[in-house]
Amino acid sequence: MPTALPTIEEIRADLAESEIHHVGVASADVLADTRAELLARRAAGLHADMQFTYRNPERSTDPSRAVANAQSIIVAARSYVTDPAQFSPPIPSVTNDGPHARVGRYAWVDHYAPLRQALRDVARTIRRAGHRAVAFADDNAIVDRAVAYRAGLGWYGKNANLLLPGAGSFFVLGCIITTADYPVADRPAADGCGDCVRCIDACPTAAIVAPGVIDGNRCLAWVLQRPGTIPDEYRAAIGDRIYGCDDCQDVCPITVRLGERTTVAPTGHERPSISAFELLTASDEWIEERCGWWYIAERDVRWLRRNALVVVGNAAEPGDTRAFDLLTTYSSGDDDVLADHARWALDRLADRRAVEVTA
């Protein structure tokens, strides 16, 4: 026998137990404006071959394609900050083990896992009440950022992230599409950016080509995930990044002026950086164990090694003999892509050494 349908207040209370404190409801109508934007940006090449929700905009903007006869969408945002001190950008580090490559905050640990599990638990209670309900988190079935906007959780910042009032953008998003008819938000959140353009000015590759519009070809977060050869013009800008880029968020006043209430408890497994040397010497299995929740194109860790070679060129001590030896080995290897990046890194080290000598 079906149980009583949980109210949205009961759902909020259940999700709060998983440190999810921002919950809203949107209609399950087609996201027509979002579909038009995805199609236009794909036609303009701004998606840079990114698939995800660009793969099939007709599907990812129609909730009923994910759940037939969908009536409403419960959307949630969970913070991925464990310490207020993280609001300051991490300082790049070079140790006796060589340069440590920075990881984007959202990927320090798998923050989607607790969000996904909490949403699945709620979806289960809705199904017990006789309705269909499916949870999605980091899934190409739905543009959850657009759903969160429709639900009034926040507005689109000029860096294209969803900004939550008084809380910013350091959140992962997920949702439940359901045939249950929950009351939806009256209106989207008001734009709180005003005339601030700090994110645009801070982007190291000028990837924010218009307010809210990102050129994926230039965005370092995608450059580091995209398979193939990294264009020469972006390699120095990568600096010591291995995965992700937080620059446009690190300067956002809405995002960095946060309080204790927007943090979550640390798991003890956070990894804000990883040794570039280890990525170049360890086995595939070692890398997969430590980075398995990251999006890695084709699940091929050679792309992380490619990134590590660039990091060594940018961040290793110019006189580090181990860096020189590793790069030399890769430069004559059988993998043409890795060899190309290794040769670039050798030239980069040489240029940096020359600057030190003349300084």
Side-chain angles (χ1 to χ4, degrees):
M1 177 178 293
T3 59
L5 180 68
T7 66
I8 192 62
E9 290 76 17
E10 290 170 333
I11 289 172
R12 285 194 173 99
D14 287 343
L15 292 177
E17 294 180 4
S18 297
E19 300 181 287
I20 301 168
H21 303 296
H22 300 270
V23 180
V25 182
S27 76
D29 296 338
V30 171
L31 298 156
D33 291 346
T34 301
R35 178 181 296 180
E37 284 292 339
L38 288 174
L39 291 171
R41 295 182 193 190
R42 190 173 69 179
L46 297 176
H47 71 310
D49 299 325
M50 191 185 306
Q51 296 300 306
F52 204 56
T53 54
Y54 279 107
R55 180 191 299 274
N56 187 346
E58 289 77 10
R59 173 177 178 262
S60 63
T61 57
D62 185 355
S64 66
R65 297 280 290 271
V67 175
N69 302 314
Q71 296 298 309
S72 54
I73 308 174
I74 300 164
V75 60
R78 187 180 192 271
S79 175
Y80 55 76
V81 176
T82 57
D83 183 344
Q86 293 172 12
F87 302 149
S88 298
I91 299 173
S93 61
V94 179
T95 71
N96 291 334
D97 297 323
H100 279 243
R102 274 189 293 161
V103 178
R105 284 180 175 85
Y106 82 96
W108 287 10
V109 72
D110 187 357
H111 287 284
Y112 278 106
L115 172 64
R116 187 179 293 112
Q117 186 58 56
L119 292 174
R120 286 174 176 171
D121 290 344
V122 169
R124 191 176 299 113
T125 65
I126 296 174
R127 290 196 296 271
R128 287 175 184 152
H131 295 273
R132 293 196 66 202
V134 181
F136 299 91
D138 194 27
D139 194 299
N140 64 13
I142 190 70
V143 186
D144 49 18
R145 184 174 59 107
V147 174
Y149 173 78
R150 176 182 282 181
L153 285 194
W155 72 92
Y156 296 131
K158 291 186 176 71
N159 60 6
N161 286 308
L162 189 81
L163 295 177
L164 279 63
S169 61
F170 286 150
F171 292 87
V172 288
L173 300 172
C175 64
I176 299 168
I177 303 176
T178 178
T179 56
D181 191 5
Y182 283 99
V184 302
D186 292 335
R187 64 183 66 86
D191 186 325
C193 290
D195 58 3
C196 178
V197 292
R198 294 185 190 183
C199 60
I200 296 176
D201 294 341
C203 181
T205 56
I208 307 175
V209 295
V213 181
I214 308 298
D215 182 351
N217 298 285
R218 305 184 201 178
C219 179
L220 293 184
W222 179 238
V223 166
L224 290 166
Q225 290 186 12
R226 195 177 186 180
T229 298
I230 296 174
D232 284 357
E233 61 264 34
Y234 304 135
R235 296 182 187 182
I238 285 171
D240 66 338
R241 301 173 181 86
I242 194 72
Y243 188 84
C245 177
D246 290 326
D247 284 25
C248 67
Q249 299 183 89
D250 286 335
V251 299
C252 173
I254 305 296
T255 296
V256 299
R257 293 173 186 167
L258 304 179
E260 188 69 25
R261 64 185 178 82
T262 55
T263 62
V264 294
T267 66
H269 301 290
E270 284 76 13
R271 184 182 294 277
S273 66
I274 189 168
S275 168
F277 284 175
E278 285 190 299
L279 286 173
L280 294 173
T281 58
S283 66
D284 290 0
E285 292 73 21
W286 185 93
I287 298 174
E288 289 168 357
E289 180 182 348
R290 287 155 180 79
C291 312
W293 64 84
W294 297 356
Y295 170 78
I296 302 172
E298 304 157 350
R299 302 311 300 171
D300 191 340
V301 298
R302 70 193 287 244
W303 306 125
L304 291 182
R305 293 193 177 101
R306 172 203 63 187
N307 298 349
L309 290 167
V310 174
V311 169
V312 171
N314 285 328
E317 295 292 345
D320 189 325
T321 57
R322 189 179 181 194
F324 180 83
D325 291 344
L326 276 171
L327 294 177
T328 300
T329 298
Y330 270 91
S331 70
S332 58
D334 295 332
D335 189 313
D336 291 341
V337 172
L338 297 186
D340 170 72
H341 289 77
R343 288 190 291 270
W344 177 89
L346 283 168
D347 291 342
R348 175 77 167 154
L349 280 182
D351 291 343
R352 292 173 56 220
R353 189 182 302 117
V355 170
E356 283 193 357
V357 169
T358 57

